[in-house]
Amino acid sequence: LERTVVILGNGFVEFQDQMGDDQCVADAARVSKLGESKGEESDRKLIHYLMKHGHSTPFEQVELKFRIKCPLFVRSQIMRHRTFSYNEMSRRYTSENIDFYIPEYFRKQAETNKQSSLEDSKIEYIIDDIPLMPPQPVKEFVKKIAEDACYNYYLMLDNGVSREQARMVLPINMNTMFIMKGNLKNWFHFLGLRTREDAQWETRQVAIAVENFIMDSVPCCYEAWALYRKDKE
Ligand SMILES: Cc1cc2nc3c(=O)[nH]c(=O)nc-3n(C[C@H](O)[C@H](O)[C@H](O)COP(=O)(O)OP(=O)(O)OC[C@H]3O[C@@H](n4cnc5c(N)ncnc54)[C@H](O)[C@@H]3O)c2cc1C
């Protein structure tokens, strides 16, 4: 796998670091009996046993770290997961490299689930009731809002307004970047919640990218989790 996967047009998920692997989970479980590994197949069986019966602490021995670039509204959902360590870029420090997530198309509001959108639906145009204003493609409409916000932001900075206040005019589709580190048990919990169909599509793209890296880096733990726990997180 490449270490970086592009998501949401100009965002990314970058696999940065890992401590521990499948073997280390099995070793951690065996320490209670001072046992030693009897080979890959017995480690695999042990990992499946641990996962199936909810013996979760050995999975905490593996740590994984990612760098994520995504819009602010996705970041807010991700950072509700309190068991991770985060460090994020700060718009108090820098006014550089501002860019925005502009989706290819916009989804309609779901009627039954008040939080969700209809994934196969598309809103094509914004129609305003200003006389003579033609319908505008939604993507262009949102792009213009972001460009105007950016212009006004720099105008405020040019007039001496502090970065920490001027940033309030920037919309929440602005991208941010942060590092997120946590143990495998908590990553699995995060994946269970954020790859589900009721999670917001944009946030799901981050989770799916993380899931693909985890699938590759701890294949046996991932296999056991997908089998026994994924639907129960
Ligand atoms: C589809 C979806 C919709 C959501 N909608 C909303 C919403 O409308 N409004 C909203 O506010 N949030 C919403 N959330 C966020 C949700 O309530 C959780 O904050 C988020 O999913 C993090 O889950 P968590 O607390 O289990 O994870 P983490 O914070 O990573 O915690 C992992 C586990 O550690 C334990 N834990 C951590 N901290 C504590 C604590 N202080 N006390 C006790 N146990 C703790 C719990 O067992 C927890 O499950 C939504 C989440 C999803 C997936």
Side-chain angles (χ1 to χ4, degrees), residues 76-84 86 113 115-116 180 185-187 189-190 192-200 203 233:
S76 299
Q77 293 185 347
I78 290 175
M79 289 196 181
R80 296 303 306 279
H81 294 266
R82 297 158 289 177
T83 49
F84 292 86
Y86 299 97
N113 182 336
Q115 281 193 326
S116 295
M180 179 173 178
K185 177 189 170 179
N186 290 321
W187 277 114
H189 180 62
F190 169 83
L193 293 176
R194 299 298 178 178
T195 59
R196 276 183 356 202
E197 281 193 2
D198 61 345
Q200 176 156 357
T203 306
E233 294 287 358

Coordinates of all heavy atoms in Angstrom, one line a residue, residues 76-84 86 113 115-116 180 185-187 189-190 192-200 203 233, ligand 1:
S76 N -14.3 17.7 13.2 CA -15.1 17.8 14.5 C -15.7 16.4 14.9 O -15.7 16.1 16.0 CB -16.3 18.8 14.3 OG -15.8 20.0 14.0
Q77 N -16.1 15.7 13.9 CA -16.7 14.4 14.2 C -15.6 13.4 14.6 O -15.8 12.6 15.6 CB -17.4 13.8 12.9 CG -18.7 14.6 12.6 CD -19.5 14.0 11.4 OE1 -19.0 13.1 10.7 NE2 -20.7 14.5 11.2
I78 N -14.5 13.5 14.0 CA -13.4 12.5 14.3 C -12.9 12.8 15.7 O -12.6 11.9 16.5 CB -12.2 12.7 13.3 CG1 -12.7 12.1 11.9 CG2 -11.0 12.0 13.8 CD1 -11.7 12.3 10.8
M79 N -12.8 14.1 16.1 CA -12.2 14.4 17.4 C -13.1 14.2 18.6 O -12.8 14.4 19.7 CB -11.6 15.8 17.4 CG -10.4 15.9 16.5 SD -9.5 17.4 16.9 CE -8.1 17.2 15.7
R80 N -14.4 13.7 18.3 CA -15.2 13.3 19.4 C -14.7 12.0 20.0 O -15.1 11.6 21.1 CB -16.7 13.0 18.8 CG -17.4 14.2 18.3 CD -17.5 15.3 19.4 NE -18.1 14.8 20.6 CZ -19.4 14.7 20.9 NH1 -20.3 15.0 19.9 NH2 -19.8 14.2 22.0
H81 N -13.8 11.3 19.3 CA -13.2 10.1 19.8 C -12.1 10.4 20.7 O -11.0 10.8 20.3 CB -12.8 9.2 18.6 CG -13.9 8.8 17.8 ND1 -14.6 7.5 18.0 CD2 -14.7 9.4 16.8 CE1 -15.6 7.4 17.2 NE2 -15.7 8.5 16.5
R82 N -12.4 10.3 22.0 CA -11.5 10.9 23.1 C -10.3 10.1 23.4 O -9.5 10.6 24.2 CB -12.4 11.2 24.3 CG -13.5 12.1 24.1 CD -14.6 11.9 25.1 NE -15.4 10.7 24.9 CZ -16.3 10.2 25.6 NH1 -16.7 10.9 26.7 NH2 -16.9 9.0 25.3
T83 N -10.3 8.9 23.0 CA -9.2 8.0 23.4 C -7.9 8.1 22.6 O -7.0 7.4 22.8 CB -9.7 6.6 23.5 OG1 -10.3 6.3 22.2 CG2 -10.7 6.3 24.5
F84 N -7.9 9.1 21.6 CA -6.8 9.3 20.8 C -6.0 10.5 21.2 O -6.5 11.4 21.9 CB -7.2 9.5 19.3 CG -7.8 8.2 18.7 CD1 -9.2 7.9 18.9 CD2 -7.0 7.3 18.0 CE1 -9.7 6.8 18.4 CE2 -7.6 6.2 17.5 CZ -8.9 5.9 17.6
Y86 N -4.1 13.8 19.8 CA -4.2 14.6 18.6 C -3.2 15.8 18.6 O -3.0 16.4 19.7 CB -5.6 15.3 18.4 CG -6.7 14.3 18.3 CD1 -7.5 13.9 19.4 CD2 -7.1 13.7 17.1 CE1 -8.5 13.0 19.3 CE2 -8.1 12.9 17.0 CZ -8.9 12.5 18.1 OH -9.9 11.7 18.0
N113 N -34.2 9.5 8.5 CA -33.1 9.7 9.5 C -32.8 11.2 9.4 O -32.2 11.7 8.4 CB -31.9 8.9 9.1 CG -30.7 9.1 10.1 OD1 -30.6 10.1 10.8 ND2 -29.9 8.1 10.2
Q115 N -30.5 13.0 10.6 CA -29.0 13.4 10.5 C -28.5 13.1 9.1 O -27.5 13.7 8.7 CB -28.2 12.5 11.4 CG -28.2 12.9 12.9 CD -27.1 12.2 13.6 OE1 -26.7 11.0 13.3 NE2 -26.5 12.8 14.6
S116 N -29.1 12.2 8.3 CA -28.5 11.7 7.1 C -28.9 12.4 5.9 O -29.8 13.2 5.8 CB -28.8 10.2 7.0 OG -28.3 9.5 8.0
M180 N -3.2 11.9 14.4 CA -4.1 11.2 15.3 C -3.4 9.9 15.7 O -3.1 9.1 14.7 CB -5.4 11.0 14.6 CG -6.4 10.2 15.3 SD -8.0 10.3 14.3 CE -9.1 9.3 15.3
K185 N -7.2 -1.2 19.8 CA -8.5 -1.4 20.3 C -9.4 -0.2 20.0 O -10.5 -0.3 19.5 CB -8.5 -1.6 21.8 CG -9.8 -1.7 22.4 CD -9.8 -1.7 23.9 CE -11.2 -1.6 24.4 NZ -11.3 -1.6 25.9
N186 N -8.8 1.0 20.2 CA -9.6 2.2 20.0 C -9.8 2.5 18.5 O -10.8 3.1 18.1 CB -9.0 3.4 20.7 CG -9.2 3.3 22.2 OD1 -10.2 2.8 22.7 ND2 -8.1 3.6 23.0
W187 N -8.8 2.2 17.7 CA -9.0 2.3 16.2 C -10.1 1.4 15.8 O -10.9 1.9 14.9 CB -7.7 2.0 15.5 CG -6.7 3.1 15.4 CD1 -5.5 3.2 16.0 CD2 -6.9 4.4 14.7 NE1 -4.9 4.4 15.7 CE2 -5.7 5.1 14.9 CE3 -7.9 4.9 14.0 CZ2 -5.5 6.4 14.4 CZ3 -7.7 6.2 13.4 CH2 -6.6 6.9 13.7
H189 N -12.7 0.5 17.5 CA -14.0 1.1 17.9 C -14.3 2.3 17.0 O -15.5 2.4 16.5 CB -13.8 1.6 19.3 CG -15.0 2.3 19.9 ND1 -16.2 1.6 20.1 CD2 -15.2 3.5 20.3 CE1 -17.1 2.4 20.6 NE2 -16.6 3.6 20.7
F190 N -13.3 3.1 16.6 CA -13.5 4.2 15.7 C -14.0 3.7 14.4 O -15.0 4.2 13.8 CB -12.2 5.0 15.6 CG -12.2 6.0 14.5 CD1 -12.7 7.3 14.7 CD2 -11.6 5.7 13.2 CE1 -12.6 8.2 13.7 CE2 -11.6 6.6 12.2 CZ -12.1 7.9 12.4
G192 N -15.5 0.9 13.6 CA -16.9 0.3 13.7 C -17.9 1.4 13.6 O -18.9 1.3 12.9
L193 N -17.7 2.6 14.3 CA -18.7 3.6 14.3 C -18.6 4.5 13.0 O -19.7 4.9 12.5 CB -18.4 4.6 15.5 CG -18.7 4.0 16.9 CD1 -18.3 5.0 18.0 CD2 -20.2 3.6 17.0
R194 N -17.4 4.7 12.5 CA -17.3 5.6 11.4 C -17.3 5.0 10.0 O -17.3 5.8 9.0 CB -16.1 6.5 11.6 CG -16.2 7.3 12.9 CD -17.3 8.3 12.9 NE -17.4 9.0 14.2 CZ -18.3 10.0 14.5 NH1 -19.2 10.3 13.6 NH2 -18.3 10.6 15.6
T195 N -17.3 3.7 9.9 CA -17.5 3.1 8.6 C -18.9 2.7 8.3 O -19.3 2.2 7.3 CB -16.5 1.9 8.3 OG1 -16.8 0.9 9.3 CG2 -15.1 2.3 8.4
R196 N -19.7 2.8 9.4 CA -21.1 2.4 9.3 C -21.9 3.3 8.3 O -21.5 4.4 8.1 CB -21.8 2.5 10.6 CG -21.6 1.4 11.5 CD -22.3 1.4 12.8 NE -23.1 2.6 13.2 CZ -23.3 2.9 14.4 NH1 -22.9 2.2 15.4 NH2 -24.0 4.0 14.7
E197 N -22.9 2.7 7.7 CA -23.7 3.5 6.7 C -24.3 4.8 7.3 O -24.6 5.7 6.6 CB -24.7 2.7 6.1 CG -24.1 1.8 5.0 CD -25.1 1.1 4.1 OE1 -26.3 1.4 4.2 OE2 -24.6 0.4 3.2
D198 N -24.6 4.8 8.6 CA -25.2 6.0 9.2 C -24.2 7.1 9.5 O -24.5 8.2 10.0 CB -26.1 5.7 10.4 CG -25.4 5.1 11.5 OD1 -24.2 4.6 11.3 OD2 -25.9 5.0 12.6
A199 N -22.9 6.8 9.4 CA -21.9 7.8 9.6 C -21.9 8.7 8.4 O -22.2 8.3 7.2 CB -20.5 7.2 9.8
Q200 N -21.5 10.0 8.5 CA -21.5 10.9 7.4 C -20.5 10.4 6.3 O -19.4 10.0 6.6 CB -21.1 12.3 7.9 CG -21.0 13.3 6.7 CD -21.2 14.7 7.1 OE1 -21.4 15.1 8.2 NE2 -21.0 15.6 6.1
T203 N -16.9 11.7 6.4 CA -16.2 11.1 7.6 C -15.8 9.6 7.3 O -14.8 9.1 7.6 CB -17.0 11.3 8.9 OG1 -17.3 12.7 9.0 CG2 -16.2 10.8 10.1
E233 N -19.5 -2.7 17.5 CA -18.9 -1.6 18.1 C -19.9 -0.5 18.5 O -20.8 -0.2 17.7 CB -17.8 -1.0 17.2 CG -16.6 -1.9 17.0 CD -15.6 -2.1 18.2 OE1 -15.8 -1.5 19.2 OE2 -14.7 -2.9 18.0
Ligands
LIG1 C1 -23.5 8.0 13.3 C2 -23.1 8.9 14.5 C3 -23.9 10.0 14.9 C4 -23.6 10.8 15.9 N1 -24.4 11.8 16.2 C5 -24.0 12.7 17.3 C6 -24.8 13.8 17.7 O1 -25.9 14.0 17.1 N2 -24.4 14.5 18.7 C7 -23.3 14.3 19.4 O2 -23.0 15.0 20.3 N3 -22.5 13.2 19.1 C8 -22.8 12.4 18.0 N4 -22.0 11.4 17.7 C9 -20.8 11.2 18.4 C10 -20.9 10.1 19.5 O3 -21.9 10.4 20.5 C11 -19.6 9.8 20.2 O4 -19.2 11.0 20.8 C12 -18.5 9.4 19.2 O5 -19.0 8.4 18.3 C13 -17.3 8.8 19.9 O6 -17.7 7.6 20.5 P1 -17.2 7.0 21.8 O7 -17.5 8.0 22.9 O8 -17.6 5.6 22.0 O9 -15.6 7.0 21.5 P2 -14.3 7.5 22.3 O10 -14.4 8.9 22.8 O11 -13.1 7.1 21.5 O12 -14.3 6.5 23.6 C14 -14.2 5.1 23.4 C15 -14.8 4.5 24.6 O13 -14.1 4.9 25.8 C16 -15.1 5.0 26.9 N5 -15.1 6.4 27.3 C17 -14.3 7.4 26.8 N6 -14.5 8.5 27.5 C18 -15.4 8.2 28.4 C19 -16.0 9.0 29.5 N7 -15.8 10.3 29.7 N8 -16.9 8.3 30.3 C20 -17.2 7.0 30.1 N9 -16.6 6.2 29.1 C21 -15.8 6.8 28.3 C22 -16.4 4.6 26.3 O14 -16.6 3.2 26.5 C23 -16.3 4.8 24.8 O15 -17.1 4.1 24.0 C24 -22.4 10.5 16.6 C25 -21.6 9.4 16.3 C26 -21.9 8.6 15.2 C27 -21.0 7.5 14.9

